[in-house]
Amino acid sequence: MSKSGYVIEEILSANAIAARVAVLARNITDHFRDTEKLVVIGLLRGSFVFVADLVRGIDLAVEVDFLEVSSYGAAMESSREVRILKDLSGEIKGRDVLVVEDIVDTGHTLHHVLDMLQTRGPKRLEICALLDKPSRREVEIRATWTGFEIPDKFVVGYGVDYAQRDRNLPYIGTVRFTG
Ligand code: PRP
């Protein structure tokens, strides 16, 4: 697909994503099979498409909640602090929790989010990330379940944006800038 100033080259088709999401959902269902109710926490905004597809494949009682954090940009890279923009609506104390993320890059976002959620005393806390760029990692984070490992390329689609565009693409593609 061609946009002004960049082209998007598909690397993961909608069908490939759907097939992988179905497997992840089955694994999550199996892992939490004895739960009373699973709290699925999507990190906004990038995870909203993944959460929507994933929860429809999970065969358990599920509560969906969202957390929005902002990671500072390059200018603040040294501190790498994460600020809560929208907190959870519900409690997670003593609950089974699944954090759903679209992409793990440096790992700082999940590192801070997990630290913060652990202080609230969940019973179990697992992570499902659709995309993982292990070559970019700065802090040790391993998702319990990962959809796809991808190279260090700028990607968009299936919830992931470039300057708040392209989240609505049904596939995932790499961005190549054309000047
Ligand atoms: C992206 C992505 C992750 C985070 C990963 O969020 O959704 O939350 O960056 O990066 P890290 O591993 O280096 O911390 P972004 O800040 O772009 O916000 P968005 O979810 O609203 O797109």
Side-chain angles (χ1 to χ4, degrees):
M1 177 182 280
S2 180
K3 304 259 180 177
S4 53
Y6 63 103
V7 292
I8 299 170
E9 288 155 354
E10 182 178 302
I11 58 166
L12 294 169
S13 69
N15 283 343
I17 296 168
R20 187 69 187 131
V21 170
V23 171
L24 295 171
R26 279 201 296 275
N27 292 341
I28 291 163
T29 300
D30 189 43
H31 181 85
F32 287 107
R33 60 190 171 278
D34 61 347
T35 192
E36 201 175 301
K37 187 160 67 171
L38 178 65
V39 183
V40 174
I41 299 177
L43 298 193
L44 295 172
R45 287 175 247 179
S47 73
F48 77 103
V49 177
F50 183 33
V51 168
D53 284 344
L54 190 65
V55 294
R56 282 180 288 175
I58 296 176
D59 188 17
L60 299 168
V62 159
E63 179 176 325
V64 179
D65 208 337
F66 290 97
L67 181 68
E68 185 172 12
V69 297
S70 87
S71 34
Y72 291 102
M76 298 285 290
E77 214 153 307
S78 58
S79 71
R80 289 291 196 180
E81 283 302 311
V82 168
R83 244 173 352 121
I84 296 179
L85 300 181
K86 182 220 164 283
D87 206 339
L88 298 175
S89 299
E91 302 284 329
I92 60 166
K93 189 172 174 52
R95 315 278 304 273
D96 286 321
V97 175
L98 177 72
V99 175
V100 177
E101 181 60 301
D102 55 336
I103 183 162
V104 187
D105 190 346
T106 65
H108 286 284
T109 302
L110 266 182
H111 177 75
H112 283 275
V113 165
L114 293 175
D115 271 4
M116 190 265 290
L117 294 179
Q118 284 290 8
T119 66
R120 301 183 186 188
K123 182 174 159 202
R124 286 184 282 188
L125 179 59
E126 308 289 354
I127 308 163
C128 183
L130 182 68
L131 304 174
D132 187 11
K133 285 184 185 173
S135 64
R136 292 264 306 161
R137 202 72 91 252
E138 293 177 10
V139 291
E140 176 72 21
I141 283 287
R142 273 185 72 85
T144 321
W145 300 280
T146 297
F148 303 93
E149 279 195 8
I150 58 169
D152 183 15
K153 295 258 175 67
F154 200 107
V155 293
V156 292
Y158 198 73
V160 181
D161 73 308
Y162 168 49
Q164 300 306 332
R165 287 169 52 165
D166 304 315
R167 293 192 197 270
N168 56 321
L169 296 178
Y171 57 87
I172 289 168
T174 54
V175 172
R176 184 163 53 81
F177 294 96
T178 54

